[in-house]
Amino acid sequence: MNLSHQHVDAIRRIASGTAPQAGTPDSLIHRSWHRCVNTHGLDPEQSFGLRVESSTRLRESRERIEEYLQVARGGMEQLFKRVSDLGYVLLLTDADGVTVDYIGNDSWGKDAQRAGLYLGANWKEEIAGTNGIGTCIFEQAALTCHRDDHFYTGNVGLSCNTAPLFHPDGKLMGILDVSALAMPNARESQHLALHLTTLYGQMIEDANFVRHFRDHWILRLATSWALVDVLGDMMLAFDSDGVLAGASTGARKWLRGLALQTGDEAIEGRHLTDVFRCSMDDIWRLARSSNVMDRALLSAFDHQSYFGSVVAPRMRSLSSMQGHRDVTDVPALAPASPALERLAGDDKQMRALQDQARRLANKRINILIQGETGTGKEVFAKALHESSTRGDKPFVAVNCASIPESLIESELFGYTAGTFTGARSRGMKGLILQSHGGTLFLDEIGDMPLHLQTRLLRVLSEHEVLPLGADRPIRVELTVIAASHRDLRQLIAAGSFREDLYYRLCGATLPLPALRDRRDLGYLIDLILREEAEQLDTRACIADEALELLERYEWPGNVRQLRNVLRFGLALSDGEGIYPEHLPPEITAPSAQPAGVAPTGSMPALPAPHARSAAAQGDGRAASRPPEAERLLAALHKHRWNITAVAAQAGQNRTTIYRQMKRFGIVSPTQAALPADR
């Protein structure tokens, strides 16, 4: 009997009995054989038919897990450096077993592709029988599928080591696979490969966990004091109230075993003090520690002790711990990609723009940024430049509206010596040439005179510039980012802007939202407050009642106005923290706030936390409120006017809650009557 027949007979023998129980060395593989025959209806004597998904299916899968792919790719590249010399290739699949990423030696390309170790291959167990990826999906555990462990005889030459990768919500995201086309017969030869696969799988999971919860506090736990900062055994994400938002895979297993005192296995929504025998003050003390030698030993309710360290959010709003937030108390971590990442918090529209900007940064394409005055168009352009491979080259900004029309031509294109009276004796290198190799930012491009638009068009089409008075053009390589608060298409219709220049400039258009439409105002206040406090050499601190006023305001002047307001407040506060009386009149004036908010000069006694809003008590409108207003008011009473808690319950952000309060005329006690003394 040849080896193929022996292999088929072994599978049929296992499949004809009862499903093997866990615990025996081959039980995992044998259970898969049993499923393949009795559940999937596969026949081991049939030839293996590789299934490759369409490019559309592959693209859809990659787009669905794009951010996760970026994290995983970094881990795969590091792992490949350690196994490439041993003849392995690396695969990453989605949760359905379709290969969405691949790293391998080019010399193995055709052989690997024929064996299915390539993009688009579907290794689902129902299709490909017992194999590393498909069986790992079923078992959701790291495993080795070595040579004749495979169901089909056509795959018995493969050796596959796989580890499941889980999303922070606990759901399976995909499989990391380290495979080889030919390996020694002994299964023991794969022990090291399986260990590395498992290790790097955990590293990818942990990196994705930190990315996913970048706006939360993260508690790292380890049994080793020395490694808790870099290789925590478990991680817990929590908000400023100590409520758990997520747990890493290891932490989920531990918490489910712990059962959180009550027998409830739920993780999200529980409190850290349900897990550890400590108070939140102990956790915040750990967060504030600047001494790496100071690592608290936290005791859990299962009588186990763990060393802990706390990682601050990369992006967080200024919700209160004790009446005000001093944003210098716990320093925030620098974001992984500072230039673009730091421009926004948890705002979907800005996040989408950042993602587009990252993709476009190194493409040879001109970009048009559109947005209202003050939205930060130049800041965004500079961040895009710094995030590109041109980041060490010049970034030259030109405001086409601020340079007199008589000078803009010479400023942009430069001139040779003696071109006109009053010119520099050696001539002048224009701003376009100064940006050679880098980025030219043309702000308010809609105000550029028509005759200069024609010259700029030639620069963009021919990649050369002709200074005034020169006989020969000069070669120039640059990327142009233009910006305007005006609709250039309307200018084209009016005949004041060239249509051909418009299409040269808008290889991609990025619309910046107005500040009033953004959902990350808390993050921006935090960020700008730090920056301005550093400039003024003072504390970055703001009271909750001042923060509420800022979050309710409509911000017609956008980010520029916000920066001016915070600078003004810091200057008046003398390092004691910004309170409402330190804000400009346009923020605190009754016309800037919902009906019923008392002016800051009127300060009667503070009402009880459960009192109805001033608007409801004062004008008798409670009976006419719509049901959604009553539900909101009930939630506010329930959470004692804690806007963060109300927003979390509703699945919304703080700004949305404030806008709903404004719409229904609901006023918090702290705004209906501010205390006379602080």
Side-chain angles (χ1 to χ4, degrees), residues 444-596:
E444 300 305 344
I445 186 67
D447 293 311
M448 177 176 280
L450 266 173
H451 73 282
L452 294 184
Q453 293 178 29
T454 303
R455 294 199 62 184
L456 178 60
L457 180 62
R458 179 172 178 80
V459 172
L460 298 181
S461 59
E462 304 298 331
H463 298 284
E464 59 185 30
V465 60
L466 183 67
L468 297 176
D471 297 324
R472 293 184 177 180
I474 302 172
R475 187 73 180 172
V476 62
E477 291 294 338
L478 54 84
T479 295
V480 174
I481 301 178
S484 179
H485 73 284
R486 305 165 71 183
D487 189 335
L488 296 184
R489 287 166 297 187
Q490 291 183 1
L491 298 182
I492 293 170
S496 59
F497 200 85
R498 292 185 60 110
E499 186 174 15
D500 46 4
L501 177 59
Y502 172 77
Y503 288 114
R504 280 285 181 181
L505 291 172
C506 70
T509 301
L510 301 179
L512 279 183
L515 182 57
R516 62 183 172 274
D517 296 326
R518 292 178 58 168
R519 300 295 181 264
D520 58 350
L521 180 59
Y523 168 78
L524 290 174
I525 293 173
D526 190 346
L527 176 69
I528 296 172
L529 197 62
R530 289 173 182 273
E531 294 174 349
E532 294 300 324
E534 184 176 352
Q535 291 290 323
L536 297 173
D537 193 23
T538 188
R539 289 174 65 214
C541 185
I542 186 167
D544 272 0
E545 53 265 35
L547 185 60
E548 286 188 20
L549 289 171
L550 296 179
E551 290 185 320
R552 290 167 179 248
Y553 189 61
E554 291 295 332
W555 298 107
N558 290 299
V559 179
R560 185 178 300 150
Q561 183 189 11
L562 173 61
R563 184 175 293 277
N564 290 338
V565 166
L566 291 175
R567 185 184 300 142
F568 179 85
L570 286 169
L572 291 186
S573 67
D574 296 324
E576 296 299 319
I578 299 175
Y579 283 81
E581 57 264 37
H582 300 133
L583 298 175
E586 68 264 23
I587 307 296
T588 58
S591 60
Q593 299 299 324

Side-chain angles (χ1 to χ4, degrees), residues 48-54 57 96-99 113-124 126-128:
F48 170 63
L50 176 64
R51 174 169 162 180
V52 179
E53 301 292 346
S54 68
R57 164 70 173 81
D96 295 322
V98 177
T99 307
Q113 192 167 1
R114 279 194 294 267
L117 306 180
Y118 208 65
L119 290 175
N122 191 326
W123 285 100
K124 202 170 185 178
E126 296 94 314
I127 297 170

Side-chain angles (χ1 to χ4, degrees), residues 1 16 25 32 41 74 128 159 172 244 249 289 301 323 331 362 373 375 487 491 493 501 522 525 599 625 637 646 673:
M1 182 181 294
S16 63
S32 176
S159 292
L172 183 71
L244 289 174
T249 299
S289 174
F301 280 102
N362 293 315
T373 299
T375 49
D487 189 335
L491 298 182
L501 177 59
I525 293 173
R625 278 203 185 93
H637 288 159
V646 174

